[in-house]
Amino acid sequence: MSAGEHDALVPIAIGALEATRLDTAALVDSVRRDDCGGIVVFEGTVRSPNHGHDVLALEYEAWQDRAPRQLELFARECAEQFGLGAALAVHRVGRVEVGEPAVVIVTVSMHRDVAFVAASALIDRVKAEGWIWKKELRADGEIWVDGC
Amino acid sequence: MTVVLFFAQAREAAGTRRTEIGGDTVAQVLAAADATFGPEFAAIRAACTIVVDDEIVPRAEHDHHTAGAELAILPPVSGGAGHETDPGVIRVAVLTISDRATAGEYEDLTGPAVEAVVAEHLRSELVARALVADEHDAIVAALVEWCDGGAVDLVLTNGGTGLAPRDVTPEATRSVLDAEAPGLGELMRAAGLAHTPFAALSRQVAGRRGRTIVVNLPGSVKGATESLEAVVSVLGHACATAGSGAS
């Protein structure tokens, strides 16, 4: 019997912080696999205006000793929970310009429905639990932001 | 000495990423940091999560928990607060209501069991716990303090829900609620009835005071655990709705 849909996938889990512009296509390629037919990609990008303020850029700060390990853990637990072939969570630190990606989530599954749900769950967890903060750089000042 | 790490707005207010502070407990180290860095820092720090040696230490334990080797002061992260319907991290307080546990005749096992169910099912932080006798006024005082203090989203009581003359928890709870949520009591009793007809004798009340949800649980470990598990899936939404100020 060939490797079929009833065999559990051994998942790939990737979590990382990056200090330079995220290359979404390259991140997707890093978890692409032949035995999975569905890939869902989520990019969180810097938005302006935000709540009525013109935003110049966001400055991200992370707990450098913990956040990469957290992201890898969230990806691994997401992959295990949803039976994925791969899960990836990569977040920027430093200054991110308007329109640029601040975070990329990729979920890779045998089928698309699971990949969509898993991607949503993974970004929610990254935002809720990851030790990552953002400061909004506005035309009229700077402010640390609790909300999304 | 404990290595203290500061992040984001706490780092800016302290003017440093890292320092060393002496103190036996988390509360002592935080008080020393507040004294060193001033009121602006203290106000930011009060909203921070504290992690000691890789373990989140809930507020209720700051007085007792050792300060450890490394203590991180972590402001709220970007998720959660952005959507009104996102329950975020639910701040939970647990009130054990028991004459015998208050008198020291036995150890309170139900409170910790409730906390364990909360930790397993809710994205939450235990911010307070207390033990009071089966006295109407003592129960009311604890509920009002937590509900009106602005720092608790969900109060879970256990005990005093039966038919004994000393059982006054439902009446005390009802007297402080702005709005009752009878469906929660019905759901908990229905779950209990699957195991025992005695669940019909439980009188738990639930509802909202201000922006805080209050839920009575029975006093036994088994009863409290099963009742909480019956309603836990809707408590996040209940807290989000109560806390949003939406009508």
Side-chain angles (χ1 to χ4, degrees):
Chain A
M1 203 172 91
S2 62
E5 298 200 351
H6 301 293
D7 297 323
L9 296 167
V10 178
I12 303 163
I14 293 176
L17 294 175
E18 293 288 346
T20 55
R21 181 163 181 156
L22 299 177
D23 182 342
T24 304
L27 292 172
V28 173
D29 282 342
S30 73
V31 290
R32 196 180 284 280
R33 50 190 286 176
D34 292 345
D35 54 1
C36 287
I39 298 180
V40 167
V41 183
F42 171 79
E43 263 194 14
T45 61
V46 176
R47 172 184 68 211
S48 180
N50 185 34
H51 300 305
H53 295 271
D54 284 333
V55 177
L56 306 175
L58 291 183
E59 182 84 30
Y60 284 91
E61 173 174 337
W63 188 356
Q64 296 275 356
D65 284 348
R66 297 291 188 283
R69 213 191 301 162
Q70 278 188 305
L71 294 172
E72 201 270 339
L73 174 74
F74 299 160
R76 178 153 33 86
E77 291 188 349
C78 177
E80 286 166 1
Q81 180 187 349
F82 292 98
L84 304 179
L88 173 148
V90 177
H91 208 294
R92 274 294 309 274
V93 289
R95 183 182 168 110
V96 184
E97 304 298 330
V98 172
E100 284 186 5
V103 56
V104 171
I105 299 290
V106 184
T107 53
V108 181
S109 174
M110 285 192 286
H111 303 293
R112 67 182 180 280
D113 50 354
V114 173
F116 277 110
V117 175
S120 178
L122 183 51
I123 182 60
D124 283 352
R125 189 165 184 204
V126 167
K127 295 196 75 136
E129 296 181 37
W131 295 126
I132 299 166
W133 300 269
K134 66 181 174 193
K135 184 158 68 175
E136 219 169 74
L137 309 179
R138 298 174 176 170
D140 55 353
E142 301 179 349
I143 184 169
W144 290 97
V145 187
D146 289 352
C148 310
Chain B
M1 297 293 270
T2 297
V3 172
V4 181
L5 305 176
F6 304 88
F7 295 93
Q9 54 269 56
R11 169 180 58 73
E12 288 187 346
T16 181
R17 291 177 185 279
R18 180 184 187 282
T19 187
E20 293 190 11
I21 296 177
D24 294 332
T25 65
V26 169
Q28 287 170 4
V29 168
L30 294 178
D34 289 352
T36 303
F37 299 116
E40 189 199 342
F41 169 81
I44 291 168
R45 197 278 299 160
C48 289
T49 299
I50 305 301
V51 169
V52 173
D53 298 335
D54 264 338
E55 179 197 348
I56 292 177
V57 181
R59 257 182 204 84
E61 292 169 19
H62 285 187
D63 285 340
H64 309 292
H65 199 288
T66 171
E70 181 190 76
L71 184 154
I73 297 177
L74 304 154
V77 293
S78 64
H83 302 288
E84 278 193 353
T85 52
D86 187 330
V89 174
I90 299 170
R91 301 166 298 173
V92 178
V94 174
L95 181 65
T96 295
I97 299 160
S98 166
D99 284 338
R100 284 186 293 168
T102 306
E105 289 172 21
Y106 69 24
E107 191 186 348
D108 170 30
L109 298 176
T110 307
V114 167
E115 291 171 17
V117 174
V118 167
E120 185 184 346
H121 293 281
L122 289 176
R123 194 144 58 80
S124 61
E125 180 188 7
L126 181 73
V127 293
R129 66 161 75 94
L131 173 63
V132 298
D134 288 279
E135 300 285 351
H136 183 280
D137 292 351
I139 298 166
V140 164
L143 294 177
V144 168
E145 182 189 335
W146 285 343
C147 293
D148 295 0
V152 177
D153 302 310
L154 175 64
V155 177
L156 298 170
T157 75
N158 64 89
T161 60
L163 283 168
R166 294 283 297 163
D167 289 335
V168 296
T169 300
E171 287 67 37
T173 302
R174 198 174 281 120
S175 75
V176 304
L177 291 180
D178 298 326
E180 217 176 307
L184 291 175
E186 289 160 13
L187 196 53
M188 290 189 281
R189 276 182 285 277
L193 285 169
H195 302 284
T196 168
F198 287 100
L201 306 183
S202 182
R203 305 186 299 116
Q204 299 90 298
V205 164
R208 176 186 59 79
R209 177 182 174 88
R211 295 188 166 193
T212 303
I213 298 293
V214 181
V215 178
N216 294 159
L217 302 168
S220 71
V221 169
K222 190 167 186 293
T225 304
E226 287 172 359
S227 291
L228 181 53
E229 286 174 344
V231 296
V232 73
S233 64
V234 299
L235 290 181
H237 186 72
C239 291
T241 309
S244 70
S247 55

